[in-house]
Amino acid sequence: MSTTTQTQFKRDILQDETTAEVTALLQDNLTNLIDLALLMKQAHWNVVGPNFRSIHLQLDEIIDSVRAGSDEVAERIVTLGIPADGRVSTVAADSNVAGYPDGFVKVSETISRVADALKQVIESLRSAIEKLGDLDAISEDMLIAISGELEKHLWMLQAQEV
């Protein structure tokens, strides 16, 4: 998380200690969401094989949801008076999302790897949701909405593996 301190807003939304705890949880998920979007774009560009077009297009739909979620999380962090950190160095150092191979990847492996990465991020979101319940209902609700959308995407990916 950024070493920059809280802004000097005159009207704090949360108490300082709560703000620090909430924004740390949000920052962890911001990092994972940014990394997931990058991973999925890598998969989108390099997927090959039967049904290429449908998975190529589906990945773009998921990426749009992930990017929108990361923007919401970043803006919530800033709303709470802490700078959001989406720098590549932060994402590379702090993301919990497993890496993605270089080169071309067949459709079936792409689906599996992307579904695994999506599941990792959903687990991180759900963990934060549990902790946010007593700290900040607004942040909790935001992560619930993001998780719900990503879980639907996970279902649609997994349905192709059967």
Side-chain angles (χ1 to χ4, degrees), residues 23-49:
T23 56
L25 290 166
L26 294 175
Q27 180 62 51
D28 289 345
N29 281 283
L30 174 61
T31 301
N32 289 341
L33 287 163
I34 292 169
D35 196 15
L36 179 63
L38 293 169
L39 177 148
M40 295 184 82
K41 205 59 175 170
Q42 181 71 19
H44 165 85
W45 293 322
N46 295 299
V47 62
V48 294

Side-chain angles (χ1 to χ4, degrees), residues 106-160:
K106 294 194 180 293
V107 168
S108 60
E109 184 181 351
T110 296
I111 292 169
S112 180
R113 287 180 174 273
V114 168
D116 288 346
L118 195 52
K119 175 69 170 150
Q120 281 183 293
V121 172
I122 290 166
E123 287 174 351
S124 176
L125 288 165
R126 284 182 159 269
S127 174
I129 289 164
E130 286 179 29
K131 295 170 186 164
L132 286 168
D134 293 330
L135 298 171
D136 180 26
I138 304 300
S139 295
E140 176 191 32
D141 186 57
M142 178 190 65
L143 293 189
I144 289 169
I146 293 167
S147 181
E149 188 168 352
L150 296 185
E151 288 175 10
K152 184 175 179 182
H153 285 303
L154 179 59
W155 159 58
M156 291 183 176
L157 279 170
Q158 292 185 117
Q160 298 173 76

Side-chain angles (χ1 to χ4, degrees), residues 47 51-59 107 110-111 157 160:
V47 62
N51 301 315
F52 154 81
R53 182 169 170 70
S54 63
I55 191 65
H56 180 80
L57 296 174
Q58 184 180 17
L59 289 172
V107 168
T110 296
I111 292 169
L157 279 170
Q160 298 173 76

